[in-house]
């Protein structure tokens, strides 16, 4: 019955709304380029407004108080932040996703329904983060059909369309005096779908000033979602569109930065890394290497960069197709950098060439673990002799089994070469990763890259969050560039937490 209900809801939206929001891969070329939906918010298993917050800047110190600094925590397939919404406040944990614009939260503790989400029923995040209850917030309201946000999410070139669907009369449309609620929307993430209504409420964010009160953003617009398919956790969209989190906070011409903790800290409540939005995120970053953001003419709200080459252990260079650094006439191509996709995806032929080269370099060192490959779906897994690194042998053994730095190996190093002579050597733990505890004095490590589905639409590849671990990544929206610097994000997080303001 749940599946039937979902299809009925989608059918109603499709035929009752003139501009139904569909997946990016299915968008026609003449659709309004001002709205680009999330391409993918894939799982670790890969089954796979113009109302802008107005800022008044008077002094440098006042500018700093307008920045936002929130803790990022890692779960098994992404990074989450806590949204402080409503009056009184309700805390909802959501994914931080650079591959989409819309921010949405599950709505209704008893009525929220996630279809085909059995894998997440016992997840600590889904069980501990309650849904948002609009009726409990005195400052909550439905967005109006005449709002630019409503027009945007319904992908409409005609500002009257959402109000027409909402049932406004012709006379009120002509006088712009109809304020019926914005019609329900559907929003897609690869294989996932969410259905909900645009809602406004007070959002509170922290600014990094010690002992300061949270800053309140009135009328923050987000999706109040009652039904999803394979999307059990809400999302904070950090794309470039007007609905996105940075845009609504007034930072569309500033930027943001993050330093993703290694996967071994997944679900660890005692450590987080800072997500910085605003001037602090992009100032004093000369030590980073910056590559330009590529401008996609059809999908302008995504973050694209250009990949020129891949080298393996500084010995072998893999030929990279041109479409990983340029677009065709339909806007397809480029390398999408997306925190909502777990693993890096490469074009099928490039991925196959990478596997061949890696296998030729590793085969004389370690035996294949093909039964693990069959079980996990990863393509290259090897049995590595298990032993503690002399520099880390004082650590508790229970914590060592997933610490890839404790097992010395001869696995190759992979380096990405981006436009503007940017050379990014991926930390070894971002390439091959231990699949579990050691057995019989060996640990199995698998290559955590995947092949991109062959398609002429969309990006040529995706730079996923797993390969962005232990590096500072800066999105400089003012200069339209993205910066990289490998670092120990756990140490950086510890330093930032020592100076962090008290949460109010």
């Amino acid at each position: 019955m749940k599946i039937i209900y979902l299809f009925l809801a989608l059918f109603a939206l499709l035929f009752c709304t003139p501009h139904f929001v569909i997946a990016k891969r299915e968008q026609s070329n003449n659709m309004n380029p001002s709205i680009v939906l999330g391409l993918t918010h894939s799982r670790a298993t890969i089954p796979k407004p113009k109302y802008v917050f107005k800022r008044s800047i008077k002094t440098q110190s006042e500018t700093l108080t307008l920045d936002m600094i929130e803790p990022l925590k890692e779960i098994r397939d992404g990074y989450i932040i806590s949204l402080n919404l409503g009056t009184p406040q309700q805390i909802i944990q959501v994914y931080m996703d650079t591959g989409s614009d819309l921010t949405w939260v599950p709505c209704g503790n008893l009525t929220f329904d996630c279809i085909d989400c059995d894998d997440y029923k016992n997840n600590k995040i889904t069980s501990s983060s309650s849904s948002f209850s609009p009726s409990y917030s005195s400052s909550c309201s439905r967005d109006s059909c005449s709002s630019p946000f409503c027009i945007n999410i319904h992908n409409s070139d005609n500002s009257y369309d959402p109000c027409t669907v909402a049932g406004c009369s012709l006379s009120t449309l002509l006088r712009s005096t109809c304020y019926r609620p914005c019609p329900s929307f559907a929003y897609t993430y690869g294989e996932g779908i969410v259905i909900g209504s645009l809602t406004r409420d007070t959002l509170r964010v922290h600014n990094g000033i010690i002992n300061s009160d949270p800053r309140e953003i009135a009328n923050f617009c987000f999706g109040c979602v009652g039904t999803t398919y394979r999307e059990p956790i809400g999302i904070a969209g950090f794309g470039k569109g007007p609905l996105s989190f940075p845009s609504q906070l007034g930072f569309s011409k500033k930027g943001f930065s993050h330093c993703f903790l290694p996967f071994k800290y997944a679900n660890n409540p005692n450590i987080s890394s800072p997500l910085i939005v605003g001037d602090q995120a992009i100032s004093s970053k000369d030590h980073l290497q910056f590559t330009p953001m590529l401008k996609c003419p059809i999908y302008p709200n995504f973050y694209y960069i250009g990949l020129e080459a891949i080298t393996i252990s500084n010995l072998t260079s893999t030929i990279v197709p041109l479409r990983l650094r340029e677009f065709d006439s339909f806007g397809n191509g480029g390398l999408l950098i997306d925190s909502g996709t777990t693993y890096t995806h490469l074009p099928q032929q490039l991925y196959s060439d990478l596997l061949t080269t890696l296998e030729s370099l590793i085969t004389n060192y370690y035996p294949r673990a093909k039964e693990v490959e069959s079980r996990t779906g990863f393509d290259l897994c090897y049995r590595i002799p298990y032993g503690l690194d002399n520099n880390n042998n004082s650590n508790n053994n229970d914590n060592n089994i997933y610490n890839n730095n404790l097992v010395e190996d001869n696995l190759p190093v992979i380096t990405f070469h981006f436009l503007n002579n940017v050379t990014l050597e991926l930390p070894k733990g971002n390439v091959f990763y231990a699949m579990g505890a050691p057995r019989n004095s060996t640990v199995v490590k698998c290559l955590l890259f995947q092949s991109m589905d062959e398609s002429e639409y969309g990006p040529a590849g995706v730079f996923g969050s797993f390969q962005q671990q232990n590096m500072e990544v800066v999105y400089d929206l003012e200069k339209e560039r993205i910066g990289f610097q490998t670092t120990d994000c756990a140490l950086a997080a510890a330093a930032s937490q020592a100076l962090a303001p008290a949460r109010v």
Side-chain angles (χ1 to χ4, degrees), residues 318-339:
T318 302
I319 298 176
V320 171
L322 282 174
R323 58 196 181 105
L324 275 168
R325 55 185 179 274
E326 60 184 35
F327 302 106
D328 62 20
S329 58
F330 297 102
N332 303 304
L335 181 68
L336 178 71
I337 178 169
D338 180 15
S339 67

Side-chain angles (χ1 to χ4, degrees), residues 22-29 31 36-40 48 188-191 299 302 304 323 332-333 336 341 345 451-462:
I22 58 177
K24 169 183 171 292
R25 288 181 184 269
E26 299 173 349
Q27 287 179 335
S28 61
N29 294 325
M31 294 181 76
V36 177
L37 304 186
L39 169 68
T40 175
K48 212 154 177 79
T188 63
Y189 299 89
E191 295 181 347
Y299 309 120
F302 289 132
Y304 287 96
R323 58 196 181 105
N332 303 304
L336 178 71
T341 297
H345 286 56
S451 174
M452 194 79 175
D453 292 337
E454 281 300 313
S455 173
E456 57 186 83
Y457 302 108
V462 181

Side-chain angles (χ1 to χ4, degrees), residues 39-304:
L39 169 68
T40 175
H41 184 76
S42 52
R43 301 303 177 202
T45 53
I46 307 287
K48 212 154 177 79
K50 302 196 179 161
Y51 272 54
V52 176
F53 177 70
K54 301 299 182 181
R55 305 191 303 160
S56 175
I57 301 177
K58 296 180 180 179
T59 65
Q60 183 176 3
S61 61
E62 185 176 348
T63 301
L64 290 176
T65 65
L66 294 177
D67 285 353
M68 178 187 109
I69 300 179
E70 296 291 341
L72 271 178
K73 293 186 177 181
E74 182 172 9
I75 58 175
R76 68 177 188 176
D77 59 358
Y79 295 83
I80 60 169
I81 62 173
S82 296
L83 297 184
N84 183 325
L85 287 169
T87 308
Q89 66 183 18
Q90 300 178 47
I91 307 299
I92 312 296
Q93 293 180 311
V94 298
Y95 284 109
M96 181 261 182
D97 184 13
T98 60
S100 63
D101 289 335
L102 176 69
T103 294
W104 68 268
V105 297
C107 278
N109 287 323
L110 299 178
T111 59
F112 176 71
D113 188 17
C114 183
I115 299 171
D116 198 13
C117 293
D118 292 343
D119 290 344
Y120 282 80
K121 285 186 176 179
N122 297 321
N123 185 280
K124 292 182 179 179
I125 299 300
T126 55
S127 59
S128 64
S129 60
S130 59
S131 299
F132 180 74
S133 298
S135 60
Y136 293 165
S137 175
S138 62
S139 53
C140 183
S141 63
R142 282 281 298 273
D143 198 28
S144 166
C145 67
S146 60
S147 159
F149 290 111
C150 182
I151 297 168
N152 191 295
I153 200 167
H154 284 283
N155 202 26
S156 175
D157 291 321
N158 184 347
S159 61
Y160 291 145
D161 283 351
C163 287
T164 301
V165 175
C168 294
S169 66
L170 178 60
S171 61
T172 58
L173 286 174
L174 294 176
R175 293 196 303 268
S176 297
T177 57
C178 185
Y179 299 102
R180 287 182 179 269
C182 180
S184 297
F185 65 84
Y187 202 91
T188 63
Y189 299 89
E191 295 181 347
I193 304 173
V194 302
I195 300 174
S197 58
L198 280 187
T199 304
R200 289 177 181 265
D201 209 333
T202 300
L203 173 72
R204 297 166 188 85
V205 298
H206 296 87
N207 56 24
I209 306 298
I210 295 177
N211 297 324
S212 65
D213 292 331
R215 180 163 58 94
E216 291 192 352
I217 292 89
N219 295 316
F220 179 78
C221 190
F222 59 96
C224 190
V225 170
T227 303
T228 73
Y229 177 69
R230 292 187 175 179
E231 291 293 335
I233 302 173
I235 289 173
F238 271 72
K240 293 189 286 186
L243 271 168
S244 75
F245 205 94
S247 294
Q248 289 198 58
L249 268 64
F251 296 124
S252 60
K253 296 300 181 183
K254 294 297 181 181
F256 59 93
S257 66
H258 58 70
C259 193
F260 287 156
L261 291 167
F263 191 72
K264 65 182 178 181
Y265 293 108
N267 300 319
N268 185 335
N270 300 317
I271 185 169
S272 63
S273 59
L275 168 66
I276 305 173
V277 185
D279 294 306
Q280 294 182 62
I282 59 176
S283 61
S284 302
K285 299 298 181 181
D286 293 339
H287 60 288
L288 273 71
Q289 300 182 82
F290 283 93
T291 187
M293 294 181 187
L294 302 183
K295 295 181 180 180
C296 180
I298 307 300
Y299 309 120
N301 295 351
F302 289 132
Y303 300 105
Y304 287 96

Side-chain angles (χ1 to χ4, degrees), residues 30 65 374 376 378 448 463:
N30 59 358
T65 65
S374 299
T376 63
F378 296 117
L448 298 194
F463 190 23

